[in-house]
Amino acid sequence: MEQSPRAHNWGGALPALSAAVGALVGFRSVVALELPRFRNLLSLPGVPREAFDVNWSARAMWPEQIQAQAMDRLTGLLVALFLSAAGVALLNTLVLLFERGASRRREMAVRSALGERPSVVARRLLSDLRRLLVTGLALGLLLGLAWGGALRGAWPGVVDSPGWLGALEFLVPALGFMAALAAGAFAWTGFSLSRGKNLARPLLSGERATAAPGEAFQRRVLAALQIGAAGAVTFGALALALGLGGSERVDGPDLTAVASDVVAPGLPGETWIGLLARLREIPGLEAESLATPGALVGLGVRDHATSQCGNCYRGGLPLPFWGAVADNHAVGPGFFALAGMTLGAGRGITWGDGPEAPRVAVVNRTFADMAFEKGDPVGRKVRLGSDLDAWYEVVGIVEDRPILGVGGDDLARPAVYVSALQHAPRSGTLLLAGSDDAVTSALGVAAAMGFAPGDGETVGHVRREAEAPRGWLGGLGLVLAFLTLGLAVHGGHTTALQVARRRERELAVRRALGASDGRIVRHVLAGAAGTALGGSAVAVFLGALFVALLRKVIGGVPPLGPEAYLGVVVLLMGAGLVASAQAAREAVRVEPGLAME
């Protein structure tokens, strides 16, 4: 039963309408930078916002804000890598579409000779892929949801449940962006296949219908670009995986000091001093200390600090004061020993640095070298926050430690440690070292005094937990690298098969003229190797730009050495040859008699 003209028009209008809506949503998501944010689905445990009574400036950033900003950068890069991988898959489809169009060129020429308009010819060719695209989209959506669920289950932080509206808010920009790419790509493909050229001309002139030099060059360029894009995404994903692989950053032996999060009841200054005094009386407890939230992993209040530099110069101008952005922490006596941090000069925070004593601070090596004459800050002063009179005498230097977890990188940042006895925090981390019974007794004393201590964990365990999200993100980058290589192999495989089947008559002529199996195989593989070589050159160029962008956006991403680029090029070349193996086998099986048809 034939459809009515009205129904037929509606059937053609609905796909066009959906493509237009997808293109508009995708355009808006790109222009407004509304790409999906993973932090809407995944988040990190919140770090308490602790001020420890310093007048911070309006630009001060708290640990939770630092982590949220870093999560936005990292997940934005991951989304960009995923969209790039999807672009590789889209290039695969375009290459296959052009190869399919070339293989059916004679049929399309006959239809054109019988009066069919070029636009109808192009629409007929595009409609052949409709069922394949719908099936692929459904399968990809199911696999994506399953893979996404597995990734969320493996996330070491907090898994939020946004509900249906949150999920749609996350998916619509990504789907719209891909719909915009697909609509643009297929519109360009349709235009290329029907751009006013007389498809029947090859039949009238006696030329081969598949011998258009411009289109053959276009198909080769698309295939090489697909391999180049896959290689560039692989380089970027590998760099991200290497930069975020953080398990080795927690170095040294496992620190057995126990850390427990606590909240001070009442006035924190009096209660902390009372608690620490009670803990010092417990038999078997070797040491105890206090730190503001995040200090164990290097996260502190990030704000401007001014140093009494001395005889410093910048551009030939004398600068008695030096400004820097530092991470600020409040710690108690014994913190550096319990946290496994080494003093390089001077002393650490002691019990004498109490509320009535002069304000003191300890700076790390990076801050000392950056902001003090000859890297010697001991005896000089540093000012914190926006209070012009908040000067602290520097009494020691502690060696650098990188910021662990999301929010840090492999580069050491300036850091300042002030006395928690002088700046009592509302909440913090209690550090205890001693026998198991002594530690249990100390936590019981803290609970009896109303501090509500959490479960104690070793300092090493706390630091490894902080690094776990970086390892998850790095592992995701590694998986994405292999996924993109798989897309390249699949695209090379299907493209080589299409090319071999399109050139059956040419291969049959070669066989009829006496070409051996080895010569046919070499001929097929040489074409695949040439495309892979051109794609590898594109991959190295785009990959170097991609890695440079990653290193600029986030710190800690190492440069890829020549061996990494060479390794990926070898993989791309090998994948191109392996993917063409079946095409070579089919080429060998071509019967010479096909040349007579």
Side-chain angles (χ1 to χ4, degrees):
M1 181 177 179
E2 294 184 356
Q3 290 182 329
S4 65
R6 182 182 299 273
H8 179 74
N9 291 337
W10 273 108
L14 287 178
L17 180 62
S18 63
V21 171
L24 288 176
V25 173
F27 178 76
R28 184 175 184 275
S29 68
V30 174
V31 172
L33 296 179
E34 293 182 357
L35 293 177
R37 298 288 188 185
F38 280 1
R39 71 169 180 168
N40 294 338
L41 303 175
L42 307 173
S43 60
L44 299 169
V47 180
R49 180 167 176 158
E50 188 50 69
F52 55 91
D53 71 357
V54 172
N55 293 325
W56 304 111
S57 71
R59 296 183 178 181
M61 292 186 64
W62 311 94
E64 195 166 16
Q65 293 174 315
I66 296 172
Q67 288 191 326
Q69 188 180 75
M71 280 288 291
D72 279 346
R73 290 198 304 266
L74 290 173
T75 56
L77 288 172
L78 283 173
V79 169
L81 286 172
F82 271 106
L83 293 178
S84 300
V88 172
L90 189 62
L91 279 174
N92 286 349
T93 305
L94 284 177
V95 173
L96 291 177
L97 185 62
F98 271 91
E99 288 295 337
R100 185 173 179 84
S103 64
R104 297 182 59 185
R105 195 71 178 179
R106 184 173 294 274
E107 173 194 345
M108 296 298 129
V110 172
R111 292 182 179 275
S112 177
L114 294 177
E116 203 168 68
R117 292 175 300 176
S119 59
V120 177
V121 173
R123 188 163 60 246
R124 185 187 301 277
L125 185 59
L126 292 174
S127 66
D128 291 345
L129 294 178
R130 183 181 303 169
R131 184 177 302 174
L132 179 62
L133 289 175
V134 171
T135 304
L137 180 61
L139 180 61
L141 187 60
L142 290 176
L143 292 177
L145 290 175
W147 192 34
L151 290 175
R152 290 187 68 193
W155 173 248
V158 179
V159 178
D160 300 325
S161 180
W164 284 105
L165 291 179
L168 289 176
E169 181 184 358
F170 179 79
L171 289 174
V172 165
L175 293 178
F177 182 78
M178 293 310 303
L181 286 180
F186 281 108
W188 176 66
T189 305
F191 173 77
S192 299
L193 294 173
S194 61
R195 57 184 185 275
K197 183 178 179 180
N198 185 3
L199 300 180
R201 185 177 301 166
L203 293 179
L204 299 177
S205 61
E207 300 175 1
R208 289 190 300 159
T210 61
E215 293 183 10
F217 176 75
Q218 191 177 58
R219 292 194 300 269
R220 287 195 295 269
V221 168
L222 274 179
L225 184 60
Q226 178 260 331
I227 296 175
V233 175
T234 302
F235 285 127
L238 283 178
L240 192 64
L242 292 175
L244 295 178
S247 59
E248 70 280 0
R249 289 155 50 95
V250 184
D251 54 358
D254 186 16
L255 298 171
T256 57
V258 173
S260 176
D261 294 331
V262 290
V263 178
L267 296 176
E270 299 175 1
T271 52
W272 283 125
I273 294 177
L275 173 63
L276 294 176
R278 289 280 304 275
L279 295 181
R280 297 179 73 183
E281 300 174 356
I282 297 176
L285 195 65
E286 300 172 2
E288 68 287 326
S289 188
L290 172 68
T292 45
L296 280 177
V297 296
L299 287 172
V301 181
R302 186 168 295 175
D303 199 7
H304 186 80
T306 303
S307 68
Q308 189 185 61
C309 188
N311 192 22
C312 296
Y313 289 87
R314 174 180 288 176
L317 297 177
L319 292 176
F321 300 101
W322 195 279
V325 176
D327 293 326
N328 301 276
H329 317 273
V331 300
F335 169 78
F336 298 119
L338 292 173
M341 301 174 68
T342 306
L343 283 170
R347 66 174 178 87
I349 304 298
T350 66
W351 286 100
D353 301 320
E356 305 302 325
R359 293 176 174 177
V360 297
V362 175
V363 300
N364 69 343
R365 178 66 65 182
T366 295
F367 195 18
D369 293 338
M370 172 192 299
F372 293 92
E373 182 184 359
K374 298 180 181 179
D376 183 13
V378 178
R380 298 188 181 274
K381 294 184 178 181
V382 62
R383 187 179 66 198
L384 306 181
S386 59
D387 193 344
L388 297 180
D389 297 325
W391 288 97
Y392 297 76
E393 181 182 353
V394 179
V395 296
I397 304 174
V398 69
E399 298 301 330
D400 295 333
R401 285 195 65 90
I403 298 176
L404 304 177
V406 176
D409 50 47
D410 291 334
L411 303 177
R413 293 186 56 88
V416 179
Y417 301 85
V418 299
S419 173
L421 303 179
Q422 296 175 342
H423 299 282
R426 175 65 181 164
S427 60
T429 303
L430 187 64
L431 301 178
L432 305 167
S435 64
D436 292 343
D437 292 340
V439 170
T440 302
S441 178
L443 294 177
V445 169
M449 295 182 65
F451 281 86
D455 296 333
E457 300 286 354
T458 65
V459 173
H461 181 77
V462 171
R463 287 175 169 166
R464 283 191 292 272
E465 279 190 334
E467 283 290 89
R470 287 174 58 95
W472 184 90
L473 292 167
L476 185 58
L478 194 61
V479 170
L480 186 59
F482 284 107
L483 175 65
T484 309
L485 281 177
L487 288 174
V489 172
H490 175 265
H493 170 71
T494 51
T495 302
L497 280 179
Q498 289 280 355
V499 172
R501 290 166 182 172
R502 173 172 54 83
R503 300 175 62 188
E504 276 188 344
R505 292 176 60 83
E506 175 191 340
L507 294 173
V509 171
R510 292 177 180 271
R511 296 301 304 273
L513 295 176
S516 63
D517 292 349
R519 194 174 185 85
I520 292 294
V521 169
R522 288 195 299 272
H523 176 71
V524 173
L525 295 184
T531 302
L533 185 61
S536 299
V538 175
V540 171
F541 175 74
L542 295 179
L545 295 179
F546 209 165
V547 173
L549 176 63
L550 288 176
R551 299 188 67 203
K552 184 176 179 61
V553 173
I554 60 172
V557 175
L560 292 181
E563 62 280 358
Y565 286 98
L566 181 61
V568 173
V569 167
V570 170
L571 279 177
L572 290 174
M573 294 292 297
L577 294 177
V578 171
S580 304
Q582 185 175 351
R585 286 196 297 269
E586 290 198 6
V588 170
R589 296 171 185 165
V590 171
E591 294 293 335
L594 287 177
M596 304 300 296
E597 295 181 2

